[in-house]
Amino acid sequence: FGAPPAPPQAAAAQRSVPLADSLPAKIPLKDFKAKCMELVDEFLTSEDTEELKDDLTAMHSPMLHYEFVRRAITLAMERSARERELVSELLSKLYGARVLSSEQCGKGFERLFEVVEDLQLDIPAAKRYISQFLARAVADEILPPSFLSDPLIERLGGEVIDHAKVLLSIKHGLVRLDNVWGTTSAASVDDLKQEIKMLLQEFINSSDIDEACECIKRLGVPHFHHEIIKRAVVLSLDFSEREQAMMSSLLAELGKREIISDKQVEIGFRRLYAALQDLELDVPGASKILEVFINQAAKDNCLPAQTVEAIKKRYLNGAKSAPTTN
């Protein structure tokens, strides 16, 4: 009768495993899962890939990265197409940076196959979403095409695997899968950053705070308002003290009119402090200017005092620095 078939979980184990993936995890699985949810949730707000990469690497637990893949995809399935595109791009970038291995990504999908029926209770389109993530991962060369023809994977993934194969077999499938979520996130984010920069520069030239507030409101991207905080301070590093005061007044007015939430202000300042070492290289004295801005934000009730202290404690006491983004 031959040897009994290996359990589905063994599929990843039968593939070659990088040495780092086999080393013991540095933190308990339960803590790793909780931290992954926190990192992905923060990433979907800040869109800061570098910060997430640093935080994930700092846990020194590559053998658990399959849980990150599983939870990133699960959380994205609960969000909009834009967030799903962001996570697809994130997985590709982390794989390209050698943070995620093909083996851990494959194992993450296996875990999703195992729980897809339960996921469907809360996310009716779960099977379709997972197949789209899977096809995109193959198109982005995170997973080899042979992953989809592994008998164990086929048995475990069932119709999810079948749908992924269909997506990949469609004429020009690899090209179409670049927009599998119906969005071009990277391009739109770059355009949005440029628009915010021009809007803030126009405010400094015109001093029209009402027009600036209306323009920011019309952008219609409350989830991306942290970029306004960051860009306002970064631009101000090259401004006079009068212009810096104008920019600070604009941020206060945006908070007062409830156009920008306290949470977005907090994320913006966290990004600034994470990038502080790089900012200092470009503009010596940047830390003093940043401190003036964050202290003023607290005075203007845009940030609670305890949040300001928490940010300073994390990033000024030997915490990491993340690269600035343009």
Side-chain angles (χ1 to χ4, degrees), residues 98-320:
R98 297 176 181 268
V99 175
L100 294 179
S101 68
S102 181
E103 289 71 25
Q104 288 295 316
C105 288
K107 190 175 180 180
F109 276 104
E110 289 178 47
R111 292 297 185 268
L112 286 166
F113 300 156
E114 291 171 347
V115 298
V116 67
E117 300 297 336
D118 291 334
L119 288 173
Q120 280 193 297
L121 297 176
D122 296 319
I123 310 169
K127 286 186 177 181
R128 175 165 59 87
Y129 289 158
I130 294 172
S131 67
Q132 288 173 291
F133 272 111
L134 180 57
R136 177 66 174 271
V138 174
D140 288 345
E141 300 184 350
I142 298 172
L143 294 172
S146 59
F147 180 83
L148 301 179
S149 57
D150 183 319
L152 295 175
I153 296 298
E154 287 183 310
R155 186 162 65 250
L156 183 61
E159 61 187 275
V160 173
I161 297 293
D162 293 339
H163 188 208
K165 288 179 179 179
V166 170
L167 290 172
L168 287 161
S169 66
I170 296 173
K171 187 177 181 181
H172 306 306
L174 295 181
V175 175
R176 291 175 181 273
L177 285 169
D178 282 342
N179 288 323
V180 70
W181 304 114
T183 177
T184 52
S185 177
S188 61
V189 168
D190 288 341
D191 291 344
L192 191 54
K193 287 181 178 180
Q194 185 62 28
E195 190 169 354
I196 288 171
K197 181 179 179 181
M198 293 173 62
L199 187 157
L200 293 171
Q201 289 173 327
E202 176 60 27
F203 164 68
I204 291 298
N205 292 332
S206 68
S207 303
D208 191 336
I209 200 166
D210 289 329
E211 177 65 17
C213 287
E214 280 304 307
C215 287
I216 290 171
K217 191 174 181 178
R218 285 199 298 269
L219 286 176
V221 286
H223 63 280
F224 202 63
H225 281 171
H226 55 84
E227 177 66 21
I228 294 169
I229 304 299
K230 180 182 178 184
R231 193 58 50 188
V233 176
V234 170
L235 286 174
S236 295
L237 297 179
D238 295 321
F239 289 166
S240 66
E241 288 188 10
R242 184 186 72 84
E243 291 168 328
Q244 290 170 5
M246 285 175 59
M247 197 68 84
S248 190
S249 296
L250 173 61
L251 300 184
E253 192 65 22
L254 289 168
K256 181 180 178 182
R257 299 188 188 190
E258 298 184 348
I259 295 174
I260 294 185
S261 68
D262 291 356
K263 184 62 177 178
Q264 289 292 308
V265 175
E266 177 185 345
I267 293 170
F269 277 109
R270 284 187 182 278
R271 292 180 65 202
L272 284 160
Y273 272 90
L276 187 53
Q277 289 184 18
D278 287 341
L279 292 175
E280 277 284 355
L281 291 176
D282 295 332
V283 183
S287 59
K288 294 181 180 179
I289 297 173
L290 177 54
E291 184 167 13
V292 170
F293 268 94
I294 196 170
N295 288 342
Q296 188 61 48
K299 291 179 182 177
D300 294 332
N301 296 317
C302 294
L303 275 180
Q306 60 266 33
T307 299
V308 172
E309 291 307 311
I311 292 173
K312 291 181 179 179
K313 182 178 180 181
R314 177 178 180 185
Y315 292 103
L316 296 183
N317 294 342
K320 66 179 189 311

